[in-house]
Every structure is written in C-alpha cells, then in structure tokens.
Amino acid sequence: IARNITSNVRLIEGVLKKMLAFRELVSADGTVSIQDAENIARDIILKAKECTPEQIIERVGAHYSVSSENIVGRSREKSISLARHVSMYLIRQLTDLTLDEVGKLFGKDHSTVIHSIRKIEDLLDDDLTLSDTVRDIITDVKELNSSE
C-alpha cells in the first residue's frame, strides 16, 4: 500500500477502511490475504484516477441544470451554491485532490471546501433525495469513465 500510495493519506485511510470491512464481511477466517489487499488497493487507486474534477463538475451541473462556469463561479444563488457544495464533496470523495487543490478549482480556500463537505455530509444524513442525487451522480461519472 505504502509503495503505491505515497502522496495522499486519505487514499491510504480508504484502503485500510475497505480492508477492515472486507475482513468483517467477507473473510471467513478474519484475515486479509496479500492478494485481497492488492485487489482492494488497486480498486481504490483506480477509482481515484478514473474521475477528473471537470467530469464531476459537468455531471453535477447536468443534474442541477447549472453550467460548469456557474458552479466554479462566485454566484451565491441557492441552487448554484448547492451544486458547488456537491461538486466539492464529490471531488474529494472520487479523486485524490487535496483540500487546497479543490479550493483552487473553485477560487476558494481549504476552509471553505471543508465547510462545503461538512454541509453535504450533514445533509446526506437527513435528506434521502440528496443521497439519491449524489449516488446517481457518482454512477453517471463512473459510467462516463467506463465508456471511454
């Protein structure tokens, strides 16, 4: 894992969480083989490399009927702001970009990105429609990449 993921602690954390889940749910003897660990790590590394921020912003924009330019722009209109928050959340979930890198895409600093991510995480707990929307956008992005 350490040889393949050298620049992103979040990615390492994701691999470890997935291995723990694998051990709990799939492994009969409570262990994770080296082959299983390699497969889990490969899946997460490929996932991180599959999606570009631009693809995510485009898919979010299509879902919310908002242009990519508006999403990365400065508008504070509620629908655009929600699309921006969802975009930031998904970029962090689906890519290996840091908070600062995500912020630069939107002309924001890392603390604004943290606020956006937390806002969406809080909303996801209570809003089934938003949960469905986020899941649909993730599926759209993955399908877009699998067809390329």
Side-chain angles (χ1 to χ4, degrees), residues 116-135:
S116 294
I117 291 168
R118 286 185 181 151
K119 181 176 182 113
I120 295 302
E121 287 172 344
D122 291 345
L123 289 172
L124 287 172
D125 291 338
D126 300 325
D127 188 341
L128 292 176
T129 303
L130 181 61
S131 296
D132 290 343
T133 298
V134 167
R135 188 177 56 249

Side-chain angles (χ1 to χ4, degrees), residues 20-87:
L20 290 172
F22 178 88
R23 186 187 73 192
E24 295 286 323
L25 299 172
V26 178
S27 179
D29 61 358
T31 62
V32 179
S33 71
I34 291 174
Q35 184 63 42
D36 291 332
E38 287 174 350
N39 290 337
I40 290 167
R42 186 178 315 108
D43 289 346
I44 289 182
I45 292 166
L46 289 174
K47 180 184 91 168
K49 293 179 181 177
E50 284 178 357
C51 306
T52 67
E54 294 77 18
Q55 290 170 326
I56 294 167
I57 292 168
E58 180 184 311
R59 296 286 53 181
V60 171
H63 184 82
Y64 285 102
S65 300
V66 175
S67 72
S68 296
E69 292 79 20
N70 280 336
I71 291 175
V72 298
R74 301 185 58 83
S75 174
R76 297 178 84 178
E77 187 177 316
K78 189 173 183 176
S79 63
I80 295 172
S81 180
L82 177 61
R84 185 177 303 122
H85 292 317
V86 169
S87 295

